[in-house]
């Protein structure tokens, strides 16, 4: 029995919201995502604070998260919703 379905693994990446680095220790990734950064995360962003009439921006941190998805696909030479076509 030849395998007719060859699922592709897709890696979905996302970043959490930018917050002050000291607050970022407890930041969790959304459900289903795995955190791939540790500690306070990566200081590669800026967050904004509105003070009266001014908006100030400060360096902040965020975490990077990944999620693996199985994308159903037919193996080479097969096609169709059930991969039975040749």
């Amino acid at each position: 029995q030849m395998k007719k379905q060859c699922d592709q693994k897709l890696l979905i990446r996302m970043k959490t919201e930018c917050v002050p680095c000291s607050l970022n220790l407890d930041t969790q990734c959304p459900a289903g995502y795995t955190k791939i950064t540790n500690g306070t995360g990566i200081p590669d962003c800026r967050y904004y604070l509105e003070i009266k009439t001014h908006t100030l921006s400060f360096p902040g941190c965020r975490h990077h998260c990944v999620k693996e998805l199985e994308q159903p696909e037919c193996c080479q030479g097969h096609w169709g919703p059930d991969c039975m076509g040749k």
Side-chain angles (χ1 to χ4, degrees), residues 73-86:
E73 263 186 38
C74 298
C75 301
Q76 213 172 347
H78 295 276
W79 53 271
D82 50 7
C83 299
M84 295 305 278
K86 272 193 190 297

Side-chain angles (χ1 to χ4, degrees), residues 20-75:
C21 295
S22 55
L23 296 181
N24 201 37
L25 266 172
D26 302 325
T27 302
Q28 294 307 313
C29 292
Y33 283 86
T34 307
K35 198 193 272 190
I36 55 170
T37 44
N38 39 33
T40 54
I42 297 175
D44 66 346
C45 61
R46 298 185 77 81
Y47 66 95
Y48 299 90
L49 282 186
E50 282 183 35
I51 314 229
K52 295 195 177 130
T53 55
H54 298 283
T55 300
L56 304 178
S57 95
F58 298 94
C61 290
R62 56 189 174 175
H63 283 292
H64 293 210
C65 314
V66 294
K67 175 181 177 179
E68 224 177 50
L69 271 193
E70 293 267 317
Q71 172 109 330
E73 263 186 38
C74 298
C75 301

